[in-house]
Amino acid sequence: MGTGIIGTIVSLVVGGSVAAVTVVGVVNSQTAAPEDSPVDSQAPTSSIIEYGDN
Amino acid sequence: MALRGAGRGRAAPPAAVLLDTVVLALALLALGPALAPGFVLSYDMVWMPDLAVTSAGWGWVEGVPRAVPSDQVVALLDELVPGAVLQRVVLLGALVAAGAGAHRLARDAPLAARLLVAGVATWNPFVAERLLVGHWPVLLGYGVLPWLLLAGRRLRAEGGGLPPHVAALAAVGSLSASAGLGTAVALALLVGVAGRAGRRAWAGLVAVVVAANAPWVVAGGLAGGVTRSDPVAARVAAEVFAARGDDVPTPLAVAGLGGIWNTAVVPQGLGLVASVLWAAVVLGGVAVVLAGRAGVPAAERWALVGAAGVAWAVALVSWAAPGVNAWLATHVPGGGVARDGARLLGLVVPAAVVGLAAAAGEGLARVRPAVPGRVALTVAAALLPVALLPGLAGGATGDLRGQRYPAAYPAAAQAWRTDAAARDLEDGLVVSLPFAAFRAPAWNGGRTVLDPVPRVVGGADVVTDDALVVGGRTVAGEDPRAARVAAALALDGAAHRTTALRELGVAYVLRARGPDVDAAPERLAPTLEETVVAAGDELVLARLDGAVAARPDDAPGPVATAALAVAWTAFGALPLLAAGAGARAAARAVRDRRDERPAVRPRDV
């Protein structure tokens, strides 16, 4: 019985925390400025486009 | 005591429907604006409204056949389904297949545990990075992995020959060289070893692996381009394409299914904390399997651990000892396809899924929460992957987005068809300028993409530079025609350059316009003696002045044609065999039901 009550409380805390972190994370990722410097797609580039970066 | 969670019992249909719905919702959340009208053009992912069926698509190429058989399969299928729809089916289908297959691997586990593994398989760093870099054949190969393990379980339970649908799964999972290699490993381990295959089943597996990989193997052999002859170039390629962590230690990134060589496609938020958590989730799941606590037989246990071990070993060797990959690329035919060290990491996921389901099931049994707690944990399980990697939401925060080609692209293609036909120049080469492999057009939001011109001008033999520049280092290309064109473009004087190009058989150039290419170095798009045929804002078609040298007949000879025909027949037979067996099984099931006899499924491929 005791285990069930504690388990329920722990489950509610875990569930609520994950849900809150998810909402905050998704909202932040969709609204935050990019980590890299923003690139103006209309601005001329001075070198060839690279496949990627290391 | 073995943990529960990996048995083969039937799921209650409502649970399966709920789980599949959650998986679909996660996939839709991940792709987001990528489902908008147009095409998702990101790095290696270039799709067209109607890709042309070409001899290069069949595998008659001078360089490494990297788009064989994927391009030709798309070219054939988009005769039936519009390219834009087909691309969305592929992207959405790969993610949904991965998640839907994952929860079916844990049919006996509690709902929360099944939600957790479905989410982890659908939404993880590997999926995010491969989506962004445009490796859709790799994602399709990833999507079939859990279904291969399910086929292995069926084989183990029923014995006999190979389940027929394995042939179709192998074809879907082998649309590129590296995807084919990963699928071959999965077929051997997840079906053969986990399924305790007998002699008949192993013979079927070998045949399926050979047929699924035949198009690119034969094409590479005919081109002679699967072995890189230049050790220096192979070394550079091995170093720049090795697995690496973006601001985190590489082993940590690789443990958590990240570690792609291109740090520009690492999703937002995958920093140290997220990488540690992902590594804990994945390593924890695999550890449960390794410890024998996942409730699966020893054969499946070692198959799962073996697949994860192969993937991690390839990634870590590429990072710790790039000389090994350079040696392979130089000396072993086809060895170069393993240079992208993190590309096989999807093979870790089946083990992680089986272990996580078992561990989560055991944890829930111990905690025994009341109904509100169970609901809370179920919600948490569904959301956990999103919480650990929110940067994948919304098409990786908008980096994956449907875009329409500007009108100048189809207009230039049409102008080439008309002008080349009128002047009998259809066999002449077309060179795409600036002579560089990648673009970042404004009409694509400035996002990097492989030069789309060769695919846009369907039917034309377009030469592009296949040298790749990564972090300021250049990986030499493999197409000898590209090298000759580059040498011609480097000559002094427009007249000399034009003459040299005409002698190579070049009849037209297509010049891209836009901020990404207007300021490109002069050597990549030098002036030529040319006449503009069609001028759009983003693309200009020009015909070189003067007579064009006749190109040597480079059509495949009878032996090459026969070899490619055999390879493609074997490849095409795989889905047909599976479909035929499926139709026979359905007909037999109907007959058995009518006769009130238990259905018997067919066996061999």
Side-chain angles (χ1 to χ4, degrees):
Chain A
M1 187 69 172
T3 307
I5 293 172
I6 294 171
T8 301
I9 293 170
V10 170
S11 301
L12 287 169
V13 171
V14 169
S17 301
V18 171
V21 168
T22 303
V23 171
V24 171
V26 170
V27 170
N28 272 347
S29 70
Q30 303 300 306
T31 56
E35 290 172 358
D36 299 325
S37 300
V39 175
D40 180 358
S41 63
Q42 298 296 330
T45 54
S46 58
S47 61
I48 62 171
I49 306 301
E50 296 195 351
Y51 184 22
D53 205 358
N54 282 156
Chain B
M1 185 187 77
L3 303 180
R4 292 174 63 235
R8 203 178 164 274
R10 284 276 168 208
V17 170
L18 171 66
L19 288 157
D20 288 341
T21 303
V22 170
V23 167
L24 177 62
L26 285 173
L28 291 172
L29 180 62
L31 292 173
L35 301 171
F39 297 88
V40 184
L41 304 170
S42 186
Y43 289 88
D44 290 339
M45 182 154 54
V46 181
W47 285 66
M48 297 285 124
D50 184 10
L51 193 61
V53 175
T54 63
S55 59
W58 292 121
W60 188 241
V61 293
E62 293 204 31
V64 174
R66 291 211 164 79
V68 177
S70 57
D71 265 12
Q72 203 76 325
V73 169
V74 170
L76 294 169
L77 290 178
D78 71 14
E79 299 297 322
L80 306 172
V81 182
V85 175
L86 191 58
Q87 186 188 29
R88 282 16 183 258
V89 169
V90 164
L91 296 180
L92 202 57
L95 269 58
V96 169
H103 75 69
R104 284 173 171 79
L105 289 173
R107 283 192 168 114
D108 292 340
L111 181 63
R114 299 182 68 192
L115 273 170
L116 174 67
V117 297
V120 166
T122 309
W123 189 294
N124 60 54
F126 177 81
V127 168
E129 292 176 354
R130 296 300 151 178
L131 269 175
L132 283 164
V133 84
H135 290 171
W136 60 268
V138 173
L139 284 172
L140 280 179
Y142 171 71
V144 305
L145 290 176
W147 301 93
L148 290 178
L149 181 55
L150 288 166
R153 288 181 178 177
R154 177 175 157 188
L155 177 63
R156 191 170 69 229
E158 299 177 1
L162 203 60
H165 67 285
V166 169
L169 293 174
V172 171
S174 304
L175 289 178
S176 72
S178 55
L181 286 181
T183 301
V185 172
L187 283 164
L189 291 173
L190 304 184
V191 182
V193 174
R196 293 198 192 108
R199 193 173 297 174
R200 273 173 63 202
W202 273 114
L205 276 171
V206 170
V208 162
V209 168
V210 169
N213 291 281
W216 72 264
V217 170
V218 170
L222 292 172
V226 290
T227 299
R228 183 185 293 275
S229 57
D230 181 356
V232 176
R235 176 75 193 198
V236 174
E239 288 176 357
V240 301
F241 293 122
R244 72 188 63 237
D246 181 24
D247 296 332
V248 299
T250 298
L252 179 66
V254 166
L257 302 177
I260 193 168
W261 59 269
N262 187 354
T263 55
V265 301
V266 175
Q268 276 189 43
L270 192 58
L272 181 62
V273 173
S275 295
V276 167
L277 293 173
W278 273 107
V281 167
V282 176
L283 287 171
V286 177
V288 169
V289 176
L290 181 62
R293 296 179 61 80
V296 296
E300 180 171 326
R301 173 185 167 200
W302 291 116
L304 288 168
V305 172
V310 167
W312 274 329
V314 168
L316 291 175
V317 165
S318 77
W319 161 70
V324 173
N325 276 356
W327 185 89
L328 283 173
T330 307
H331 295 93
V332 179
V337 301
R339 67 186 186 180
D340 181 348
R343 198 181 296 213
L344 296 183
L345 283 177
L347 285 168
V348 175
V349 172
V353 160
V354 170
L356 277 175
E362 177 72 7
L364 284 168
R366 286 188 181 172
V367 174
R368 289 187 289 118
V371 172
R374 284 206 297 273
V375 171
L377 282 182
T378 303
V379 171
L383 293 180
L384 185 64
V386 184
L388 296 183
L389 189 61
L392 177 54
T397 65
D399 282 343
L400 299 167
R401 185 177 293 277
Q403 299 286 356
R404 298 181 193 276
Y405 283 99
Y409 276 70
Q414 182 57 44
W416 171 80
R417 280 190 287 272
T418 305
D419 196 74
R423 297 171 186 277
D424 197 20
L425 289 173
E426 289 160 305
D427 290 335
L429 293 174
V430 179
V431 171
S432 180
L433 299 176
F435 203 59
F438 281 82
R439 306 280 187 261
W443 53 263
N444 194 38
R447 285 179 283 276
T448 304
V449 63
L450 186 67
D451 182 5
V453 161
R455 288 174 171 85
V456 169
V457 190
D461 196 351
V462 181
V463 182
T464 60
D465 189 13
D466 64 340
L468 303 171
V469 183
V470 178
R473 302 179 72 185
T474 300
V475 180
E478 299 121 347
D479 184 351
R481 295 187 314 178
R484 290 192 286 269
V485 167
L489 292 172
L491 294 174
D492 285 333
H496 286 123
R497 289 190 290 268
T498 308
T499 302
L501 288 173
R502 288 202 311 256
E503 288 173 352
L504 293 174
V506 177
Y508 294 91
V509 293
L510 275 160
R511 294 181 181 272
R513 283 177 168 174
D516 60 322
V517 291
D518 285 349
E522 165 73 11
R523 62 186 167 79
L524 298 177
T527 54
L528 299 168
E529 293 179 343
E530 63 192 44
T531 301
V532 172
V533 178
D537 289 340
E538 297 86 5
L539 195 61
V540 176
L541 174 70
R543 185 179 58 253
L544 295 190
D545 297 339
V548 177
R551 291 169 56 198
D553 182 12
D554 62 352
V559 174
T561 302
L564 287 171
V566 169
W568 276 90
T569 302
F571 179 81
L574 293 175
L576 295 179
L577 278 170
R584 285 198 303 275
R588 191 174 304 178
V590 169
R591 197 170 58 241
D592 288 344
R593 206 173 298 130
R594 200 170 50 218
D595 298 343
E596 294 183 345
R597 284 189 283 112
V600 178
R601 284 179 288 201
R603 298 302 316 165
D604 297 309
V605 174

